[in-house]
Amino acid sequence: MDKYRFTYQDIHRTVRDLADHIVAGGYETDVIVAIGSGGFIPARMLRTFINRPILAVGIAYYDQNNQPTDNPRKVQWIEEAERELRGKRILLVDEVDDSRVTLEYCVRELMSHHPASIAVAVLHNKLKEKRGAMPPAVSMYLSGLDIEDKWVCYPWDAKDIDEHDREATNSRSPSGDRD
Ligand code: G4P
Ligand code: MG
């Protein structure tokens, strides 16, 4: 199998499992922060299980002149962040932990607003050497699934969702496991 393909159903179940683990781990969320755009739909699904407000942030790897850079920067941030975040228990949500660079950057930026705590939840964590590191201040890190370092096709990127779902189903062995 060259790529992973997940359906909306798969992702809904993964989000439900994540929510169960967050609650079982005793983490009480005040506010969900979604990293766009990949974290938007997972964050909304998570809100079905952990009903808290969602704040959106956007991080990019290009500079003001649209040139690619090695360092992430904020292209969308939280209005009145200090007021929204100070003393709050944040749950940071993204779809995939790949290099971890965006996640690390985002956690550090959020920490500068003095939240009470930050927990990180991702749908999928690629098992690989990471360029970024999870700051020790992160009180809980959860991934829905640990996966190999392969490209993940998400349903929201599909032009033809039925074809995407067929391919996702076909790439599973009869036992239901992924090849
Ligand atoms: P990380 O800290 O979360 O590991 O993110 P990293 O900077 O390594 O990721 C750079 C971009 O690449 C992110 O998108 C991330 O979602 C995307 N990405 C990495 N691996 C995969 C994958 O296997 N499948 C898909 N579909 N995307 C992947 P971004 O710049 O935040 O854009 P967006 O797509 O979330 O809007
Ligand atoms: Mg993303």
Side-chain angles (χ1 to χ4, degrees):
M1 186 193 60
D2 54 336
K3 291 174 180 170
Y4 290 99
R5 287 184 183 80
F6 296 105
T7 66
Y8 283 111
Q9 297 272 349
D10 294 329
I11 289 178
H12 206 99
R13 291 190 192 99
T14 299
V15 167
R16 187 201 53 208
D17 292 348
L18 269 174
D20 285 349
H21 282 103
I22 291 161
V23 172
Y27 193 78
E28 291 180 40
T29 304
D30 294 315
V31 63
I32 297 169
V33 174
I35 306 180
S37 63
F40 289 166
I41 296 172
R44 176 57 187 89
M45 286 174 161
L46 197 65
R47 207 190 75 186
T48 297
F49 306 99
I50 297 175
N51 190 8
R52 292 292 180 274
I54 301 174
L55 301 175
V57 300
I59 315 289
Y61 280 92
Y62 48 82
D63 62 20
Q64 277 86 348
N65 304 317
N66 254 349
Q67 297 301 308
T69 66
D70 286 338
N71 300 314
R73 71 179 188 93
K74 295 181 273 190
V75 289
Q76 184 190 346
W77 198 245
I78 298 156
E79 214 175 7
E80 299 194 59
E82 189 69 20
R83 188 174 61 75
E84 294 284 352
L85 300 178
R86 181 179 280 273
K88 298 284 175 63
R89 292 164 294 192
I90 297 173
L91 178 57
L92 182 62
V93 176
D94 207 351
E95 89 280 41
V96 60
D97 177 346
D98 181 28
S99 72
R100 208 167 270 178
V101 171
T102 301
L103 279 167
E104 176 181 357
Y105 173 78
C106 203
V107 168
R108 292 194 188 285
E109 289 296 317
L110 291 170
M111 273 171 9
S112 73
H113 299 293
H114 310 100
S117 58
I118 302 183
V120 175
V122 296
L123 298 176
H124 304 119
N125 173 35
K126 293 191 191 176
L127 298 173
K128 64 194 280 188
E129 194 136 332
K130 304 287 189 179
R131 282 197 295 128
M134 210 41 75
V138 168
S139 43
M140 185 187 265
Y141 170 87
L142 290 170
S143 85
L145 281 178
D146 287 341
I147 61 172
E148 290 174 50
D149 186 12
K150 295 177 186 172
W151 190 254
V152 182
C153 300
Y154 287 100
W156 44 83
D157 285 321
K159 293 278 184 335
D160 182 338
I161 191 64
D162 300 307
E163 179 63 17
H164 173 91
D165 282 5
R166 267 193 299 278
E167 289 182 358
T169 308
N170 289 341
S171 66
R172 280 163 220 196
S173 62
S175 66
D177 297 335
R178 284 166 196 288
D179 298 330

